Amino acid sequence: MKLFSRTFTMLEQSLDYASLKQKVIANNIANADTPNYKAKDVRFKTELEQAMAPLEAYRTNPKHFSFKSSDTSNFLVTTRSDVVYNHNGNSVDIDKEMSDLAENQIYYNALIERLNGQFNTLKTVIKGGK
């Protein structure tokens, strides 16, 4: 018998993603003036595959998305090497990084709110609805 629903696992994985994304963005901002530094990003595809891993999908067309199970809990961090924004070979766009930082913070806060809601629901059940 599972004590917690799959929601907790999904929220935990989402928080892991948001945490990693925060670290990558902070690293990019810290290296904004480093010559030849290439900005990094966390790929969403890996997160999506993990979220969809437990689902079984019936594909009626080979062009439909496949839902492959993935046992890895790591997200893919990629380097953006196709662009150069600064004269010193650096590919960090500080405006984009700050925008991503704010967006990731909102995402993280929403996840925390949802997790708190789950715990409050459990607390209500434990107290017998009081």
Side-chain angles (χ1 to χ4, degrees):
M1 179 181 131
K2 283 188 168 183
L3 181 61
F4 300 113
S5 68
R6 235 187 66 176
T7 305
F8 283 101
T9 305
M10 296 301 292
L11 287 169
E12 179 184 10
Q13 288 177 348
S14 298
L15 285 170
D16 288 344
Y17 168 77
S19 176
L20 177 61
K21 182 118 175 130
Q22 184 82 4
K23 289 176 188 173
V24 168
I25 293 169
N27 193 35
N28 287 344
I29 292 170
N31 287 293
D33 293 327
T34 304
N36 297 318
Y37 177 80
K38 303 302 178 199
K40 295 179 177 30
D41 197 10
V42 181
R43 290 194 36 198
F44 175 73
K45 182 180 177 191
T46 306
E47 179 189 13
L48 179 62
E49 286 174 357
Q50 288 178 355
M52 302 303 280
L55 300 178
E56 293 295 324
Y58 177 70
R59 294 173 54 196
T60 57
N61 186 315
K63 292 181 181 179
H64 291 166
F65 288 115
S66 62
F67 298 103
K68 300 176 184 173
S69 62
S70 174
D71 294 333
T72 61
S73 60
N74 296 328
F75 301 105
L76 183 61
V77 177
T78 59
T79 302
R80 286 182 267 163
S81 58
D82 55 345
V83 293
V84 175
Y85 293 111
N86 298 325
H87 64 285
N88 61 1
N90 189 304
S91 68
V92 175
D93 180 0
I94 196 69
D95 293 330
K96 180 187 180 317
E97 297 300 329
M98 295 304 284
S99 173
D100 289 349
L101 185 68
E103 181 181 337
N104 192 58
Q105 186 64 46
I106 292 168
Y107 176 66
Y108 183 86
N109 288 343
L111 290 171
I112 293 298
E113 288 291 323
R114 188 65 210 128
L115 194 58
N116 283 337
Q118 290 290 315
F119 282 122
N120 285 335
T121 301
L122 279 175
K123 189 166 92 175
T124 303
V125 169
I126 291 169
K127 289 184 174 183
K130 297 178 183 179

